Amino acid sequence: MNPRRWPIVTDADRAAIARVLDRGVLSGAGAPEVKALETEFAAAVGARCCLATNSGTSALHIALAAAGVGPGDEVIVPALSFIATAQAVLQQGATPVFADVDPDIYNIDPADAARRVTSRTRAIVPVHLHGLPADMDAIEALARGHRLTVIEDAAQAHGAVYKGRAVGTLAAMAAFSLNSTKNLPAGEGGLFVTDSEELYARAARVRFDGLEPPSKWDPTHPLDDEADAHATLRGWMYLPGELTSALARSQLQRLAETTARSQRNAARLSARLATLPGVEPPRIPPDRTHVFHKYRVRLDGARPGAGLGPTALRDRVLEALRAEGVEAVLWQTAPLPAHPLFASRERYPNAEAALASTLVIGSQSYPLFAQPLEVVDAWADAFERVWKVILRAAERIYR
Ligand SMILES: Cc1ncc(COP(=O)(O)O)c(C=O)c1O
């Protein structure tokens, strides 16, 4: 059976796009699809306020701007993430300071983050990497002690829950992504959420070239929704269009279904992989749920029998899985501080070890969370075959 490609587009999505085209309104800060998306996503997350943006990166950027982060400030971010987490800090003229990650769950290590705090630190951006919430209690405690603003990077974690609370409501502000690869896909787009009217008002102006969003929208003059006030601060044009917003609304209706399928598939695959010596499925602390935007497996080369160095083992398994028709990728090959943009010489041992000894089952185009059970089982069968061959070969070499 062929794997299912992401994103899945349904008749409901087509109808949503047709609705926008029939209406003939393609944009506007007060336009109906944008406004409805904001109301519906805020309700889905349980936050008071939401702003739709044209990317997850811009949602993060307006959060940092609303927090008052600026030149001379430092913002702590994890060493393992997508580069956007650090770029948003640079966009606001501040300096990203990288903290290492927890070796078991790959999210920011609160103890290492605490060691990075200086008198210039203004904010911390925990990333709920791959769909697993970060250790928010420890991060909140750290932030309280140093008066830091916490902004959740929830780009990969729509629908995840930490201690009974939805991701997006665990800090002052949060940013989600609507990029096609995500569990809530709409092409390119983002969502900013907060419970604070004040932060919302500031972020709304940063999103709209520094202007107050229009208080009225007139369907007979949809392009005349001029701002009610003059610019009061520096802003960017980060508004999404109506087509994207309508598609996001339609996809939002299926987010719970996507989350359930993702968790079902991950549980099935983990049950199979956990029986293989030296293979470690993703860990989930008992106080939170994982939505498995990405499914990262650790391979233990030190286990008796495997006998290969971590990257050699990882590369061999990756190649063999692909030869078996399994979708598998590395997703990130270096910690963020090692990107040429930062060229940091500092070592981040846990982030480095995580990248060296793990791979992701499912690709961006064919993620695990999109698959029917038959494909999950076929991938598990193939993994077992590959692992058996690797163990046998290693035994022959090292006996
Ligand atoms: C962890 C993380 N942060 C931020 C982003 C940025 O989102 P976008 O690509 O929508 O700008 C992404 C998405 O790729 C991401 O994975």
Side-chain angles (χ1 to χ4, degrees):
M1 186 180 202
N2 289 332
R4 191 189 283 161
R5 191 155 65 90
W6 192 253
I8 296 167
V9 175
T10 66
D11 286 345
D13 297 335
R14 288 185 196 93
I17 295 298
R19 179 176 73 223
V20 174
L21 296 176
D22 291 346
R23 191 184 293 124
V25 177
L26 297 182
S27 65
E33 301 292 342
V34 171
K35 296 302 284 181
L37 172 62
E38 291 172 348
T39 304
E40 289 162 11
F41 193 73
V45 168
R48 280 176 68 198
C49 313
C50 174
L51 290 165
T53 60
N54 59 1
S55 72
T57 311
S58 57
L60 261 182
H61 183 191
I62 64 174
L64 288 158
V69 167
D73 292 337
E74 293 176 355
V75 177
I76 298 176
V77 302
L80 183 57
S81 182
F82 180 59
I83 189 71
T85 313
Q87 289 283 18
V89 176
L90 291 181
Q91 286 161 6
Q92 200 46 27
T95 305
V97 171
F98 298 99
D100 207 352
V101 295
D102 179 300
D104 287 333
I105 59 170
Y106 315 127
N107 279 329
I108 193 165
D109 172 7
D112 196 51
R115 287 192 282 275
R116 314 267 173 182
V117 174
T118 71
S119 58
R120 290 197 294 276
T121 311
R122 280 295 295 273
I124 177 164
V125 184
V127 178
H128 306 310
L129 198 73
H130 301 348
L132 180 71
D135 289 329
M136 293 305 290
D137 279 357
I139 289 158
E140 277 299 331
L142 171 66
R144 222 174 304 122
H146 297 275
R147 296 163 160 269
L148 311 179
T149 303
V150 182
I151 300 167
E152 295 173 69
D153 181 338
Q156 303 189 354
H158 320 71
V161 174
Y162 176 82
K163 298 191 174 175
R165 288 153 63 211
V167 151
T169 62
L170 305 173
M173 292 171 274
F176 293 81
S177 168
L178 294 170
N179 172 269
S180 306
T181 60
K182 300 300 188 298
N183 294 29
L184 179 56
E188 296 287 2
L191 294 156
F192 160 98
V193 295
T194 183
D195 273 345
S196 157
E197 300 276 350
E198 195 188 328
L199 293 170
Y200 167 78
R202 223 175 303 148
R205 277 183 257 130
V206 178
R207 180 189 67 159
F208 189 33
D209 276 335
L211 298 170
E212 195 75 30
S215 54
K216 296 182 287 293
W217 188 77
D218 177 355
T220 69
H221 287 75
L223 299 181
D224 294 293
D225 58 344
E226 276 166 20
D228 296 337
H230 294 138
T232 48
L233 44 71
R234 195 162 66 126
W236 282 258
M237 178 42 83
Y238 282 164
L239 286 172
E242 284 287 272
L243 290 163
T244 298
S245 302
L247 184 55
R249 288 181 68 199
S250 179
Q251 291 275 353
L252 181 58
Q253 301 282 318
R254 303 201 298 281
L255 176 60
E257 189 189 306
T258 302
T259 303
R261 187 175 56 241
S262 188
Q263 291 172 336
R264 177 204 68 180
N265 288 356
R268 182 89 154 210
L269 189 55
S270 290
R272 296 281 301 275
L273 299 189
T275 64
L276 305 177
V279 177
E280 289 176 31
R283 294 193 191 168
I284 317 169
D287 57 1
R288 62 201 89 171
T289 68
H290 197 322
V291 294
F292 297 100
H293 169 65
K294 300 206 185 297
Y295 183 97
R296 190 176 282 278
V297 187
R298 191 198 315 270
L299 307 169
D300 185 354
R303 285 288 180 97
L308 290 168
T311 43
L313 176 65
R314 179 201 71 187
D315 292 345
R316 189 166 306 175
V317 172
L318 185 66
E319 195 185 330
L321 286 174
R322 286 178 175 167
E324 289 269 354
V326 177
E327 293 286 327
V329 295
L330 295 181
W331 197 79
Q332 305 301 307
T333 50
L336 297 186
H339 283 227
L341 171 65
F342 302 109
S344 165
R345 295 239 184 88
E346 193 168 348
R347 305 303 300 266
Y348 291 85
N350 295 343
E352 289 168 26
L355 291 171
S357 61
T358 66
L359 52 82
V360 171
I361 303 292
S363 58
Q364 311 257 79
S365 305
Y366 299 89
L368 183 67
F369 64 77
Q371 304 311 319
L373 269 184
E374 291 80 355
V375 170
V376 181
D377 288 340
W379 287 0
D381 292 344
F383 201 112
E384 276 178 13
R385 283 195 298 276
V386 163
W387 195 246
K388 240 183 242 164
V389 170
I390 292 217
L391 290 186
R392 244 185 265 131
E395 270 167 21
R396 267 201 308 278
I397 294 167
Y398 293 96
R399 204 164 27 206

